[in-house]
Amino acid sequence: MYSPQRYLKGLLVAFFLTAMLPSLSAQLKTRPDSIPTKPYWEIATDLLWLIDKNTVPATSIFLRRNFPQSNGKNTALRMRIGLETVYERSRGTGTAILSDSLYNYKPYLSLGYQAGKSKGRYAYFYGVDLIGSGLYQKQELITSYTPPDSFFTPRRIYEWNLGGSLFCGFKWNLTKGISISLESHLTGIFTRYRFKQETGLFGFEPGGFADDRITRFNTLIRPVQVINLSYNFTKSP
Protein backbone atom coordinates (compact mmCIF):
# COMPACT_ATOMS: atom_id res chain seq x y z
CA MET A 1 0.00 0.00 0.00
CA TYR A 2 1.20 3.48 -0.84
CA SER A 3 -0.39 6.32 1.15
CA PRO A 4 1.60 9.57 0.67
CA GLN A 5 -0.66 11.60 2.92
CA ARG A 6 0.73 9.90 6.03
CA TYR A 7 4.26 11.06 5.20
CA LEU A 8 3.07 14.59 4.40
CA LYS A 9 1.04 14.70 7.59
CA GLY A 10 4.04 13.61 9.64
CA LEU A 11 6.12 16.41 8.16
CA LEU A 12 3.38 18.92 8.97
CA VAL A 13 3.11 17.81 12.60
CA ALA A 14 6.91 17.93 12.89
CA PHE A 15 6.81 21.54 11.70
CA PHE A 16 4.29 22.48 14.38
CA LEU A 17 6.27 20.73 17.12
CA THR A 18 9.53 22.36 16.01
CA ALA A 19 7.89 25.78 16.14
CA MET A 20 6.34 25.10 19.52
CA LEU A 21 9.09 23.53 21.63
CA PRO A 22 11.52 26.49 21.96
CA SER A 23 8.93 28.75 23.55
CA LEU A 24 6.40 26.39 25.12
CA SER A 25 8.10 25.95 28.48
CA ALA A 26 8.69 29.66 29.05
CA GLN A 27 5.22 30.67 27.88
CA LEU A 28 3.43 28.21 30.16
CA LYS A 29 5.08 29.90 33.16
CA THR A 30 3.70 33.33 32.28
CA ARG A 31 0.42 34.74 33.57
CA PRO A 32 -2.55 33.64 31.39
CA ASP A 33 -3.65 37.22 30.72
CA SER A 34 -0.20 38.11 29.35
CA ILE A 35 -0.59 35.83 26.33
CA PRO A 36 -2.41 37.46 23.39
CA THR A 37 -5.49 35.52 22.34
CA LYS A 38 -6.29 37.56 19.23
CA PRO A 39 -4.67 35.78 16.28
CA TYR A 40 -5.52 37.21 12.89
CA TRP A 41 -4.52 34.16 10.86
CA GLU A 42 -4.31 30.53 11.94
CA ILE A 43 -3.11 27.44 10.12
CA ALA A 44 -3.90 24.07 11.67
CA THR A 45 -3.81 20.32 11.25
CA ASP A 46 -6.13 17.71 12.76
CA LEU A 47 -4.45 15.28 15.18
CA LEU A 48 -7.04 12.48 15.22
CA TRP A 49 -5.37 10.73 12.27
CA LEU A 50 -2.59 9.75 14.70
CA ILE A 51 -4.99 7.25 16.31
CA ASP A 52 -6.97 6.50 13.11
CA LYS A 53 -10.06 8.35 14.37
CA ASN A 54 -10.05 11.20 11.85
CA THR A 55 -13.33 12.25 10.24
CA VAL A 56 -11.64 14.62 7.76
CA PRO A 57 -8.91 13.56 5.32
CA ALA A 58 -5.64 12.56 6.98
CA THR A 59 -3.96 15.13 4.76
CA SER A 60 -5.85 18.38 5.29
CA ILE A 61 -5.05 21.99 6.12
CA PHE A 62 -7.32 24.21 8.19
CA LEU A 63 -7.19 28.02 7.79
CA ARG A 64 -8.97 30.61 9.93
CA ARG A 65 -9.14 34.39 9.49
CA ASN A 66 -10.04 36.06 12.79
CA PHE A 67 -11.70 39.44 13.33
CA PRO A 68 -11.20 40.13 17.07
CA GLN A 69 -12.89 42.90 19.03
CA SER A 70 -11.71 44.81 22.08
CA ASN A 71 -14.35 43.25 24.37
CA GLY A 72 -12.99 39.73 23.82
CA LYS A 73 -15.59 38.72 21.25
CA ASN A 74 -14.38 37.27 17.99
CA THR A 75 -15.76 36.31 14.60
CA ALA A 76 -13.91 34.33 11.94
CA LEU A 77 -14.04 32.89 8.45
CA ARG A 78 -12.66 29.36 8.14
CA MET A 79 -11.75 26.81 5.51
CA ARG A 80 -10.48 23.24 5.45
CA ILE A 81 -9.11 21.65 2.29
CA GLY A 82 -7.92 18.07 2.05
CA LEU A 83 -7.16 15.16 -0.23
CA GLU A 84 -6.62 11.45 0.32
CA THR A 85 -5.15 9.16 -2.32
CA VAL A 86 -4.49 5.47 -1.78
CA TYR A 87 -3.03 3.00 -4.26
CA GLU A 88 -2.82 -0.71 -3.50
CA ARG A 89 -1.64 -3.48 -5.80
CA SER A 90 -1.06 -7.14 -5.04
CA ARG A 91 -0.07 -10.12 -7.14
CA GLY A 92 -1.02 -13.62 -6.06
CA THR A 93 1.30 -16.62 -6.27
CA GLY A 94 -0.41 -19.97 -5.95
CA THR A 95 -3.76 -18.33 -5.16
CA ALA A 96 -7.00 -17.84 -7.05
CA ILE A 97 -6.29 -14.12 -7.53
CA LEU A 98 -3.53 -13.26 -9.98
CA SER A 99 -3.73 -9.47 -9.73
CA ASP A 100 -5.74 -7.06 -7.61
CA SER A 101 -5.37 -3.26 -7.81
CA LEU A 102 -7.25 -0.53 -5.95
CA TYR A 103 -7.10 3.26 -6.35
CA ASN A 104 -8.92 5.80 -4.14
CA TYR A 105 -9.19 9.55 -4.69
CA LYS A 106 -11.06 11.59 -2.04
CA PRO A 107 -11.13 15.43 -2.18
CA TYR A 108 -12.62 17.49 0.67
CA LEU A 109 -13.55 21.16 1.14
CA SER A 110 -15.37 23.03 3.90
CA LEU A 111 -16.12 26.75 4.25
CA GLY A 112 -17.55 28.28 7.40
CA TYR A 113 -18.28 31.14 9.76
CA GLN A 114 -17.83 31.20 13.52
CA ALA A 115 -18.34 33.51 16.50
CA GLY A 116 -17.17 33.28 20.08
CA LYS A 117 -15.39 34.89 22.99
CA SER A 118 -11.94 34.60 24.56
CA LYS A 119 -10.56 35.25 28.03
CA GLY A 120 -6.92 34.77 28.94
CA ARG A 121 -5.61 31.57 27.44
CA TYR A 122 -9.06 30.17 26.70
CA ALA A 123 -11.82 30.69 24.16
CA TYR A 124 -15.13 29.12 23.14
CA PHE A 125 -16.71 29.35 19.72
CA TYR A 126 -19.63 28.14 17.61
CA GLY A 127 -20.77 28.42 14.01
CA VAL A 128 -21.65 26.67 10.77
CA ASP A 129 -19.68 24.96 7.98
CA LEU A 130 -20.68 24.09 4.40
CA ILE A 131 -19.09 20.80 3.37
CA GLY A 132 -18.38 19.19 0.02
CA SER A 133 -16.49 15.96 -0.63
CA GLY A 134 -16.19 13.18 -3.16
CA LEU A 135 -14.87 9.71 -3.83
CA TYR A 136 -13.58 8.01 -6.93
CA GLN A 137 -12.57 4.38 -6.52
CA LYS A 138 -11.21 2.08 -9.19
CA GLN A 139 -10.58 -1.63 -8.64
CA GLU A 140 -9.55 -4.40 -11.02
CA LEU A 141 -9.30 -8.08 -10.14
CA ILE A 142 -7.84 -10.69 -12.50
CA THR A 143 -7.67 -14.42 -11.80
CA SER A 144 -5.79 -15.41 -14.96
CA TYR A 145 -4.59 -13.96 -18.25
CA THR A 146 -5.58 -17.08 -20.26
CA PRO A 147 -9.02 -18.72 -20.73
CA PRO A 148 -10.97 -20.44 -19.34
CA ASP A 149 -9.93 -19.12 -15.91
CA SER A 150 -9.33 -15.52 -16.92
CA PHE A 151 -12.03 -13.96 -14.75
CA PHE A 152 -11.80 -10.15 -15.01
CA THR A 153 -13.77 -7.75 -12.77
CA PRO A 154 -13.25 -4.00 -13.21
CA ARG A 155 -15.38 -1.84 -10.92
CA ARG A 156 -15.84 1.89 -10.32
CA ILE A 157 -17.39 3.81 -7.44
CA TYR A 158 -18.41 7.47 -7.68
CA GLU A 159 -19.67 9.40 -4.66
CA TRP A 160 -20.62 13.07 -4.20
CA ASN A 161 -21.41 14.56 -0.77
CA LEU A 162 -22.83 18.00 0.01
CA GLY A 163 -24.05 19.22 3.39
CA GLY A 164 -23.69 21.48 6.38
CA SER A 165 -22.52 21.25 9.96
CA LEU A 166 -23.34 23.13 13.18
CA PHE A 167 -20.39 23.13 15.54
CA CYS A 168 -19.15 24.35 18.90
CA GLY A 169 -15.65 24.17 20.33
CA PHE A 170 -13.14 25.09 22.98
CA LYS A 171 -9.64 26.47 22.43
CA TRP A 172 -6.56 26.62 24.65
CA ASN A 173 -3.69 28.96 23.76
CA LEU A 174 -0.56 27.10 24.83
CA THR A 175 1.75 29.93 23.75
CA LYS A 176 1.47 33.17 21.79
CA GLY A 177 1.93 31.18 18.59
CA ILE A 178 0.54 27.71 19.38
CA SER A 179 -2.98 26.64 20.34
CA ILE A 180 -5.03 23.46 20.47
CA SER A 181 -8.79 23.21 20.03
CA LEU A 182 -11.53 20.58 20.07
CA GLU A 183 -14.77 20.74 18.07
CA SER A 184 -18.12 18.90 18.28
CA HIS A 185 -20.34 18.75 15.18
CA LEU A 186 -23.93 18.04 14.18
CA THR A 187 -23.79 17.30 10.45
CA GLY A 188 -26.33 16.69 7.70
CA ILE A 189 -25.01 15.21 4.43
CA PHE A 190 -26.75 14.61 1.09
CA THR A 191 -25.05 11.80 -0.85
CA ARG A 192 -25.28 10.51 -4.41
CA TYR A 193 -23.56 7.15 -4.92
CA ARG A 194 -22.92 5.16 -8.09
CA PHE A 195 -21.46 1.67 -8.42
CA LYS A 196 -20.43 0.25 -11.83
CA GLN A 197 -19.04 -3.22 -12.41
CA GLU A 198 -18.33 -5.47 -15.38
CA THR A 199 -17.49 -9.18 -15.36
CA GLY A 200 -16.12 -11.46 -18.04
CA LEU A 201 -13.03 -13.15 -19.43
CA PHE A 202 -9.81 -11.16 -19.67
CA GLY A 203 -9.28 -9.85 -23.22
CA PHE A 204 -12.93 -10.35 -24.25
CA GLU A 205 -16.07 -8.23 -24.19
CA PRO A 206 -17.68 -8.18 -20.72
CA GLY A 207 -20.52 -10.61 -20.21
CA GLY A 208 -22.11 -9.05 -17.13
CA PHE A 209 -22.91 -5.52 -16.05
CA ALA A 210 -24.03 -3.71 -12.91
CA ASP A 211 -24.87 -0.01 -12.59
CA ASP A 212 -26.45 0.88 -9.25
CA ARG A 213 -27.29 4.38 -8.03
CA ILE A 214 -28.24 5.43 -4.50
CA THR A 215 -29.34 8.80 -3.11
CA ARG A 216 -29.50 9.29 0.65
CA PHE A 217 -29.42 11.84 3.46
CA ASN A 218 -27.55 11.17 6.71
CA THR A 219 -27.42 13.02 10.02
CA LEU A 220 -24.29 12.55 12.13
CA ILE A 221 -23.46 13.62 15.69
CA ARG A 222 -19.77 13.62 16.54
CA PRO A 223 -18.76 14.78 20.04
CA VAL A 224 -15.14 14.93 18.86
CA GLN A 225 -14.98 15.91 15.18
CA VAL A 226 -11.45 17.32 15.13
CA ILE A 227 -8.60 18.19 17.48
CA ASN A 228 -6.74 21.01 15.78
CA LEU A 229 -3.13 21.93 16.49
CA SER A 230 -2.76 25.53 15.27
CA TYR A 231 0.03 27.97 14.55
CA ASN A 232 -1.20 31.52 15.14
CA PHE A 233 0.02 34.57 13.28
CA THR A 234 -0.76 37.24 15.89
CA LYS A 235 -0.90 40.97 15.38
CA SER A 236 1.38 43.09 17.58
CA PRO A 237 -0.47 45.32 20.09
Side-chain angles (χ1 to χ4, degrees):
M1 178 191 299
Y2 176 63
S3 183
Q5 63 267 15
R6 291 210 169 259
Y7 301 102
L8 294 175
K9 196 77 171 186
L11 290 174
L12 187 58
V13 171
F15 164 77
F16 277 101
L17 293 177
T18 301
M20 176 176 25
L21 289 177
S23 61
L24 179 58
S25 177
Q27 290 281 355
L28 288 176
K29 295 177 182 179
T30 63
R31 295 184 301 106
D33 291 341
S34 67
I35 297 181
T37 55
K38 297 179 180 179
Y40 276 61
W41 280 101
E42 297 179 42
I43 181 171
T45 182
D46 176 37
L47 297 180
L48 288 179
W49 74 276
L50 294 169
I51 55 174
D52 291 324
K53 298 296 183 181
N54 52 297
T55 60
V56 296
T59 303
S60 66
I61 292 294
F62 178 75
L63 298 172
R64 181 159 42 202
R65 176 66 165 94
N66 293 276
F67 302 94
Q69 303 174 24
S70 58
N71 58 4
K73 293 184 178 180
N74 183 67
T75 59
L77 299 176
R78 41 191 274 154
M79 177 180 73
R80 185 181 297 274
I81 184 169
L83 176 66
E84 282 190 2
T85 58
V86 176
Y87 177 69
E88 303 176 15
R89 187 171 185 179
S90 61
R91 292 185 177 274
T93 55
T95 65
I97 299 176
L98 179 64
S99 177
D100 187 8
S101 62
L102 174 67
Y103 175 72
N104 270 5
Y105 178 83
K106 299 173 64 176
Y108 180 95
L109 175 66
S110 70
L111 300 171
Y113 172 84
Q114 74 173 53
K117 190 170 184 178
S118 61
K119 183 177 181 180
R121 292 186 188 273
Y122 309 104
Y124 70 88
F125 55 90
Y126 53 89
V128 61
D129 282 337
L130 297 178
I131 303 169
S133 64
L135 166 66
Y136 171 69
Q137 183 181 99
K138 175 183 177 181
Q139 184 175 24
E140 294 184 348
L141 184 148
I142 303 172
T143 57
S144 174
Y145 290 121
T146 57
D149 300 320
S150 57
F151 187 70
F152 178 56
T153 307
R155 64 185 63 174
R156 306 287 187 274
I157 293 177
Y158 308 88
E159 184 177 294
W160 300 267
N161 303 290
L162 183 63
S165 187
L166 299 175
F167 64 84
C168 61
F170 177 80
K171 180 179 176 181
W172 179 28
N173 292 282
L174 299 174
T175 74
K176 181 179 179 180
I178 300 294
S179 63
I180 191 167
S181 61
L182 181 148
E183 295 183 11
S184 301
H185 283 234
L186 170 62
T187 304
I189 293 291
F190 175 79
T191 299
R192 298 194 67 178
Y193 174 91
R194 185 179 183 184
F195 173 83
K196 296 180 64 177
Q197 177 174 283
E198 301 174 353
T199 57
L201 300 181
F202 183 79
F204 294 85
E205 290 294 324
F209 299 90
D211 191 348
D212 299 324
R213 303 167 190 247
I214 299 174
T215 300
R216 61 177 181 264
F217 181 82
N218 292 331
T219 302
L220 305 171
I221 300 176
R222 293 193 175 106
V224 182
Q225 170 85 359
V226 292
I227 298 178
N228 284 323
L229 178 64
S230 302
Y231 185 83
N232 309 320
F233 299 89
T234 58
K235 182 178 180 180
S236 301

